[in-house]
Structures are given as structure tokens and as C-alpha cells.
Amino acid sequence: MTLMVDSPAQLDLIDAVVPAVHRPRLRICLDVDASLRAAGGRVHVGVRRSPVHSPTEAAALAREVARRPGFLVVGVMVYEAQIAGVQDAPAHRPVRGLVVRRMQGIAGRELAGRRAAVVAAVSEVADLEFVNGGGTGSVERTAAEAAVTEVAAGSGLYNPALFDGYRAFTGRPATFFAAPVVRIPAPDTVAVAGGGWIASGSPGADRLPLPTYPAGLRWLPAEGVGEVQTPLRGPAAEHLGIGDRVWFRHAKAGEVCEHVNELHTLADDELIGRLPTYRGEGRTFG
């Protein structure tokens, strides 16, 4: 197990809970901010995550960890959310796609140089076992950097709906969830129980689950998806009855595992296994 740290205050908290003399030495990974900063810091493109941005700041934190008993720096993580987690070819939004691709090109070039400098600076303080970067949306770009030893691309195994908007790859949807029809308020409309499994990120329609089967259903803009019910409208609704299931694709990979204890695996129409989620293993992170 390796703990993520971006501040000495986190080390203080660990020591306050269990002092170094009462525990084994803990493996530490430095979490370095990958966002693009411009105009003297007034422009910030990326997530608000770690306060550690420059090679100098990363090396200073590494020295602070190294001087304190009970801690060992073994890795660096630099996750570029503005590249890995943003669609570069969003459906029906060609202008936004052009802007995003331009931004990602600039951010990628800046980060490649800075990430290499961060790794070099920290390596003068500690022997690094790994340098983590990227995600499903940036596998090819991030893996090409000599400083990176591993790319975290787990979400792509599910191929949630947001990954339909990337040019670098085309995946096949692998995970769905179902909600039963519980009301039929009109001939062309059904209401299913629940369905409000909203993805993280900037609020918007692209964060909502996508009704997938039967084809031809859409949620109502005035209601969206909800924790109690989700009305769906379309020609397919005329062929659905109480108790029938509507299958959804989730927008991102995380929300499915936040809601269920198990994932059921199928081959064709045969149930072949069950896999516990971290929630099913009794672990939640919220």
C-alpha cells in the first residue's frame, strides 16, 4: 500500500494518529499538480488538486518526507485530467472539439517537459519505484513520455458513455445497469425506478446515464434522471410494460461501483460470475 501526499500537513495527521515509533515505515507517493497555468497563474486549466506544481516544490516536499522518520518516498503521480478526462470530439459540438484539442496540445507539451523535470528533481532525493500519469483518454500520449512508468487507464475497461467522444480510440460498451418500469404516465412515456447515477465533473447532460436498450428512449429535459424515478420518452416506450427493464450506460466508470456491491459478468446471455466492487468489499470513499 502506498499513500498519496501533497502536503506536510498530511504527514502530521498520520503521525498524530499513529506515531512513527508504533508503526512500520509508510510508502509515500507525491501527488503533483498537472494543470496548465498561464498568465502568471491567473489562467488555470485542469483540476484543483495538489498545491505542488513545480519541480522545485516537488523536490522540497520529497526532502520533507525523507527527513521525517516513518516515511519513504517511492513514487510520483501527475494526473493530467484536462487531457485524459475531457472529450476531444464531443458529439454535436465541433467547435468545442477544436478548442479542446488545441488546449490539450498546449497542455501536453508543457506537462511533458515539466513532468520530466519533476521526476529528475525528486530522483535526486529518493529512488523512485514508479511514476504514474495519464488515464484512458491519454494512454498513447502519456505512455510515450520516458519519465512515466505506468498509466492508470482502468475506466476504459468499462467504456462508459463519455469515452464515445475521444478520437484516439473506439471502445465497446462493457457495463450497463438496469432499472424497472414502474409507471406508464402516457402512451409514449414510461417511468423507471431510480436511475440517477450522476457522474462527477462539471454539471451537464453529458454526466447523466444514457438510456441504451431498448433503443429510442430519452430522458425529459425538465426532469433528467432522479434517485426516485426517471421518466423516459420515445417510440420504444409503447412496447414496455410494468416490470420490464430499461438498460442504461453510465457516463463515467466510478458511479456504478459507488451504487452496487457486485458486478455480474456475462458471456452472451449466460451469467458466468460475480465480482465485488470496493463498496461490496466494505470500502467507501466519500
Side-chain angles (χ1 to χ4, degrees):
M1 179 179 292
T2 303
L3 303 180
M4 302 293 297
V5 166
D6 61 37
S7 168
Q10 294 160 338
L11 305 177
D12 294 339
L13 176 61
I14 293 170
D15 281 338
V17 175
V18 182
V21 295
H22 297 307
R23 58 171 167 81
R25 188 161 59 167
L26 300 177
R27 294 164 51 87
I28 298 297
C29 176
L30 307 183
D31 191 357
V32 178
D33 175 47
S35 64
L36 176 65
R37 298 180 185 177
R42 294 189 300 273
V43 176
H44 182 106
V45 181
V47 296
R48 302 283 181 175
R49 187 164 170 158
S50 169
V52 181
H53 186 80
S54 69
T56 300
E57 292 169 336
L61 179 59
R63 287 192 293 271
E64 175 64 19
V65 176
R67 77 168 188 83
R68 297 176 63 150
F71 300 103
L72 176 67
V73 176
V74 298
V76 171
M77 177 177 180
V78 194
Y79 170 60
E80 57 270 36
Q82 72 274 16
I83 301 174
V86 180
Q87 296 173 317
D88 63 355
H92 313 302
R93 303 176 72 183
V95 174
R96 174 176 170 80
L98 288 172
V99 172
V100 168
R101 291 194 291 275
R102 174 66 173 164
M103 175 276 293
Q104 290 179 337
I106 296 171
R109 289 188 293 272
E110 184 275 335
L111 180 60
R114 180 160 55 87
R115 182 154 40 201
V118 164
V119 171
V122 175
S123 294
E124 293 182 1
V125 180
D127 293 327
L128 295 178
E129 295 180 15
F130 64 88
V131 176
N132 181 286
T136 300
S138 68
V139 170
E140 293 180 357
R141 182 194 299 265
T142 308
E145 295 183 28
V148 176
T149 67
E150 63 181 35
V151 178
S155 297
L157 298 174
Y158 296 129
N159 198 59
L162 275 177
F163 289 123
D164 292 348
Y166 287 84
R167 298 191 307 165
F169 59 89
T170 299
R172 189 166 72 176
T175 306
F176 303 83
F177 70 89
V181 173
V182 292
R183 298 183 179 88
I184 304 178
D188 66 342
T189 305
V190 297
V192 300
W197 297 13
I198 313 301
S200 62
S202 178
D206 62 351
R207 304 291 152 166
L208 304 186
L210 184 67
T212 303
Y213 182 82
L217 294 172
R218 64 187 187 279
W219 40 259
L220 281 60
E223 295 196 51
V225 297
E227 75 277 10
V228 175
Q229 70 167 32
T230 297
L232 300 167
R233 180 174 292 164
E238 299 178 9
H239 306 288
L240 291 172
I242 300 296
D244 288 342
R245 292 190 177 106
V246 174
W247 292 85
F248 293 80
R249 287 177 67 199
H250 53 302
K252 295 177 70 176
E255 64 266 24
V256 168
C257 294
E258 292 286 356
H259 282 81
V260 301
N261 292 334
E262 294 179 322
L263 300 178
H264 296 260
T265 55
L266 295 96
D268 297 322
D269 293 331
E270 182 182 358
L271 180 65
I272 60 173
R274 297 178 179 179
L275 298 171
T277 63
Y278 51 78
R279 180 185 178 97
E281 292 177 337
R283 296 173 172 84
T284 57
F285 309 96

